[in-house]
């Protein structure tokens, strides 16, 4: 499967991860790393959340814990330069995704591009500036263009750039998901299509944060990801252990002729 699943679960926003960070208990983190990898995650997102007393230290500990048990690439999820630098000081040379810079803040995107070039990594850049996330199609496409320019100017190949058009929680309005789809299509057109190598990623679970029931959340996320794949999305931070979700993603790729149909295509897509 071409689609890049970034496992969302090692995030201090989840109670069990928060507790593991506090108690420096590696077993929970190791289990999450293995479970997500087995489900097909190509990167493991690592986010300390808001609770850690010393977030740079917590980030280092999470990364080392993951690295000690598995060789899956990691997505270092922080916008703060000191935490990112702490993370980079312990990374063992495996592929990394620097997640994420605000594409509309020059100094921030320039730093991420520079660090990605230095560490042979990839970046996630958000359609966001100092005033917050872009909420129109035009603003998203505008910042998308800036991200592409900054990457090219800094010598970072577009195949190492993931634009995140920012899936917003419901309070920003129900028109937003459609704007995300349209923005992906327009940025893709601007850059000359999929051959450019440019990637598109979203934090999928943001979308359904208004819904309470688990089944409904999963349905919303699964439906949207399939629509976004049709628009050009090729990566997402999501719950890799939601089997119905992964089935839907693999099926979307098969329907779009990115994966050959055989009777065992669902199994093949997980490898
Ligand atoms: N873009 C990029 N990176 C991101 C995001 C994004 N990183 C963080 C986040 N958004 C993606 N990760 C998550 C992880 C969990 C949830 C949402 C996004 C989530 N958690 C549940 C909740 O809040 O209701 C469950 C929490 C719990 O069980 O305690 O929804 O957009 N580049």
């Amino acid at each position: 499967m071409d689609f890049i699943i970034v496992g969302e679960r090692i995030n201090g926003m989840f109670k069990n991860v928060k507790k593991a960070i506090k108690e420096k208990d590696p077993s929970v983190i190791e289990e999450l790393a293995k479970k997500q990898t087995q489900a097909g995650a190509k990167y493991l997102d690592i986010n300390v959340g808001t609770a850690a007393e010393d977030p740079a230290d917590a980030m280092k500990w999470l990364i080392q814990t993951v690295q000690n048990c598995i060789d899956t690439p990691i997505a270092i999820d922080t916008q703060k330069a000191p935490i990112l630098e702490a993370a980079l000081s312990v990374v063992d040379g495996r592929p990394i995704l620097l997640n994420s810079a605000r594409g509309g803040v020059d100094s921030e995107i320039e730093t991420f591009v520079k660090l990605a070039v230095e560490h042979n990594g990839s970046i996630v850049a958000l359609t966001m500036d100092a005033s917050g996330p872009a909420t129109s199609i035009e603003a998203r496409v505008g910042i998308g263009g800036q991200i592409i320019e900054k990457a090219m100017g800094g010598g970072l190949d577009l195949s190492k750039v993931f634009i995140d058009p920012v899936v917003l929680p419901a309070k920003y309005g129900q028109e937003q998901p459609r704007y995300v789809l349209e923005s992906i299509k327009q940025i893709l057109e601007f850059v000359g299509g999929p051959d450019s190598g440019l990637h598109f990623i979203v934090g999928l679970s943001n979308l359904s944060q208004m819904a309470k029931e688990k089944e409904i959340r999963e349905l919303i996320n699964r439906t949207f990801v399939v629509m976004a794949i049709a628009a050009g999305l090729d990566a997402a931070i999501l719950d890799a252990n939601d089997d119905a979700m992964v089935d839907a993603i693999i099926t979307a790729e098969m329907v779009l002729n990115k994966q050959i149909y055989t009777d065992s295509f669902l199994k093949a897509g997980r490898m």
Side-chain angles (χ1 to χ4, degrees), residues 3 47 64 90 240 269:
F3 194 87
N47 185 318
Q64 285 166 326
V90 297

Side-chain angles (χ1 to χ4, degrees), residues 127-129 131-136 143 166 168 172:
T127 57
M128 190 169 171
D129 63 21
S131 67
T135 55
S136 67
I143 297 175
V166 189
L168 293 162
Y172 285 92

Side-chain angles (χ1 to χ4, degrees), residues 160-174:
K160 298 203 147 191
V161 178
F162 291 71
I163 292 184
D164 184 335
V166 189
V167 168
L168 293 162
K171 67 178 178 198
Y172 285 92
Q174 216 183 315

Side-chain angles (χ1 to χ4, degrees), residues 154-258:
L156 185 65
D157 196 90
L158 289 186
S159 66
K160 298 203 147 191
V161 178
F162 291 71
I163 292 184
D164 184 335
V166 189
V167 168
L168 293 162
K171 67 178 178 198
Y172 285 92
Q174 216 183 315
E175 72 289 350
Q176 288 295 323
R178 189 174 61 78
Y179 292 176
V180 169
L181 301 178
E182 191 55 34
S183 301
I184 293 172
K185 288 187 209 162
Q186 290 189 18
I187 297 168
L188 204 48
E189 202 165 301
F190 169 80
V191 80
D195 288 345
S196 68
L198 180 67
H199 300 283
F200 293 91
I201 191 167
V202 294
L204 189 62
S205 300
N206 302 358
L207 178 68
S208 59
Q209 277 176 329
M210 72 290 204
K212 284 190 277 295
E213 282 175 66
K214 184 165 180 275
E215 288 73 18
I216 299 294
R217 286 197 65 164
E218 289 173 352
L219 176 63
I220 293 169
N221 294 347
R222 181 159 91 234
T223 302
F224 182 74
V225 81
V226 166
M227 297 172 78
I229 290 169
L233 189 80
D234 65 349
I237 305 159
L238 53 76
D239 177 4
N241 294 106
D242 176 347
D243 288 334
M245 167 87 74
V246 177
D247 283 351
I249 291 170
I250 296 167
T251 305
E253 293 231 301
M254 187 277 290
V255 168
L256 290 170
N257 198 22
K258 291 179 183 173

